[in-house]
Amino acid sequence: MSIERFCPIVANAFASRDRNFKEIMKEFQSQENYNLLSFEDQFKGLVVDPLKALNRPAILIIDALDECDNAHGHRDELLNIISIQLSSIPHLRVFVTGRPERDINQWATTTTGVRCTNFLRLEGNHDDVERYIKERLSDLPSSLQAKVSRVVENAEGVFIWARIACDLLCKTVDKQALLNSLGKEVTLDYLYTIALEQSIPKDEYSRRAAVMVLGMILSVRSPLSIAELVQLSTNPDAVEAVVTSLGSILLYKHREGPIRLIHATLREFLTSATNAGPWFVQLGLGHYNLAAGCIDILTGVEREELGQGSNNMDDTFRQQELSSKQKEQLLIVYLVSLNTHGSRGGITVEIQIASWV
């Protein structure tokens, strides 16, 4: 998630509670191209100034802050602006929740006026995560059981971290080496990297195939299934192999079930060239592959319809390729509608694209 719509959403929420707030907000929005202003200027004009003018108590709740994309510093910018503006709005209280990512912890513990707590302090322990880890790793050799406590400690109550770590430990051949790594303070990004390196063969062709499939998965608005991706992919054999190999970070129930990311931070990791390295996913290529798959499906549909129109149609005519102009038109349809339907072999495919990068 980005912070592009943060200010308008917050302002509209406050405006729904107070008509006077709405009038002040509308006055700011009457400026030409106000939406092109910086995040700081929008936050000040849409949220801070109306609250200051009304001079009444207000509470802003930001849930799941860790799901805000920080690949381009968006989360850092949000936290920085909030901490700067808080002092100018004495009646505003901000309540933020999120998993204990390092940058969030650092901001919460070093920013004046911010109080930080966690479930350990609120609930007294991380018994649920500890039980989960110990149950999952109960089959480890007795010689390695002593190191499980370090895994519990470094999970810090974060279930996503615990799940991925346990999945990797159950699959890896060298459990001792991985336990030694997990015994240190490691991030989710590190676990994602290990999951990819352990699950995908080392050769360059396999890595490229994995990145291609992940790009298609990340590019759709509504999750697709393995069966649907197979219909759209130029390399259908690779789809199922990649998805089933990445069971520690991709969630699905069966071949026709939607494929989901284990957590929003996986998207942030994969779409950051700095963090993902060789596993970096360019969403533009994901959209390209989906568009190409749509064109192939629509091409097949058109050929079938042409073939049904005349029993005497020459086979070579029915097999001819669409012209460049026709392909261009189909691609435009894909981009404009963002909701393309097609079918091949009895499987209906529906694609909804979140954005074109």
Side-chain angles (χ1 to χ4, degrees):
M1 274 188 260
S2 72
I3 59 174
E4 181 180 356
R5 296 288 302 159
F6 179 85
C7 296
I9 289 173
V10 171
N12 285 328
F14 279 130
S16 67
R17 301 277 180 172
D18 191 298
R19 182 179 300 175
N20 294 326
F21 186 104
K22 186 175 183 178
E23 291 176 359
I24 301 172
M25 178 190 75
K26 290 296 184 183
E27 183 179 347
F28 177 80
Q29 290 177 323
S30 66
Q31 301 179 64
E32 186 177 358
N33 296 326
Y34 83 92
N35 57 316
L36 299 180
L37 295 173
S38 68
F39 177 80
E40 181 175 8
D41 289 338
Q42 288 194 45
F43 187 74
K44 185 175 183 300
L46 291 173
V47 181
V48 175
D49 289 346
L51 287 176
K52 288 171 68 175
L54 294 175
N55 194 32
R56 57 177 296 184
I59 299 175
L60 171 60
I61 300 175
I62 304 174
D63 187 31
L65 178 63
D66 57 300
E67 294 190 15
C68 176
D69 176 26
N70 204 35
H72 304 290
H74 294 159
R75 189 163 66 211
D76 291 338
E77 183 178 10
L78 172 61
L79 294 175
N80 182 52
I81 297 305
I82 288 177
S83 59
I84 291 173
Q85 296 293 341
L86 270 180
S87 59
S88 66
I89 325 174
H91 296 303
L92 175 66
R93 295 292 180 268
V94 181
F95 182 77
V96 180
T97 69
R99 290 182 173 84
E101 300 291 345
R102 291 185 180 181
D103 61 300
I104 297 175
N105 273 337
Q106 184 176 7
W107 174 79
T109 55
T110 59
T111 303
T112 303
V114 176
R115 180 186 169 197
C116 178
T117 189
N118 56 40
F119 283 121
L120 179 60
R121 294 173 188 164
L122 295 173
E123 299 179 355
N125 53 52
H126 292 320
D127 285 350
D128 52 348
V129 174
E130 181 177 357
R131 283 196 299 272
Y132 173 82
I133 293 174
K134 289 184 175 180
E135 176 65 25
R136 287 289 309 276
L137 303 182
S138 60
D139 292 334
L140 287 181
S142 56
S143 59
L144 299 178
Q145 285 294 331
K147 297 183 179 181
V148 172
S149 60
R150 288 291 294 162
V151 178
V152 173
E153 181 180 341
N154 286 330
E156 296 181 337
V158 180
F159 178 76
I160 297 299
W161 194 99
R163 171 174 176 160
I164 296 174
C166 290
D167 283 348
L168 294 175
L169 282 167
C170 291
K171 289 170 57 178
T172 187
V173 174
D174 194 345
K175 299 184 187 301
Q176 182 168 330
L178 183 54
L179 272 171
N180 289 337
S181 295
L182 296 176
K184 306 169 186 175
E185 191 172 358
V186 299
T187 63
L188 270 176
D189 284 359
Y190 174 83
L191 289 182
Y192 291 145
T193 301
I194 295 298
L196 289 161
E197 290 178 349
Q198 286 197 357
S199 304
I200 303 300
K202 305 298 183 184
D203 63 283
E204 182 64 12
Y205 297 105
S206 296
R207 185 196 64 79
R208 289 181 182 177
V211 170
M212 181 269 293
V213 173
L214 288 169
M216 296 175 71
I217 292 172
L218 292 181
S219 297
V220 293
R221 180 185 301 165
S222 299
L224 298 180
S225 66
I226 292 175
E228 290 167 330
L229 284 176
V230 165
Q231 301 304 311
L232 290 165
S233 177
T234 56
N235 187 1
D237 293 337
V239 171
E240 190 155 5
V242 169
V243 175
T244 54
S245 296
L246 294 177
S248 58
I249 56 176
L250 298 178
L251 307 178
Y252 65 97
K253 292 183 178 180
H254 45 75
R255 197 171 184 273
E256 281 71 35
I259 304 167
R260 304 182 187 277
L261 305 183
I262 191 170
H263 189 250
T265 53
L266 177 57
R267 170 185 289 274
E268 182 179 325
F269 166 75
L270 289 171
T271 54
S272 168
T274 301
N275 296 340
W279 304 103
F280 171 55
V281 170
Q282 298 183 61
L283 293 180
L285 291 179
H287 290 302
Y288 175 86
N289 287 324
L290 289 169
C294 286
I295 289 174
D296 284 346
I297 290 176
L298 292 172
T299 301
V301 170
E302 174 135 333
R303 287 173 182 158
E304 289 175 9
E305 291 175 349
L306 287 173
Q308 292 169 359
S310 172
N311 293 329
N312 298 320
M313 185 172 292
D314 186 84
D315 288 341
T316 57
F317 174 73
R318 291 195 319 209
Q319 295 300 321
Q320 68 183 352
E321 293 293 333
L322 288 183
S323 68
S324 297
K325 183 64 176 178
Q326 288 173 312
K327 288 185 177 181
E328 181 181 336
Q329 290 172 341
L330 289 172
L331 184 55
I332 291 173
V333 170
Y334 169 84
L335 292 174
V336 173
S337 69
L338 303 185
N339 191 356
T340 301
H341 298 266
S343 64
R344 177 194 290 165
I347 297 179
T348 300
V349 179
E350 178 179 345
I351 307 166
Q352 294 177 304
I353 306 303
S355 61
W356 183 273
V357 179

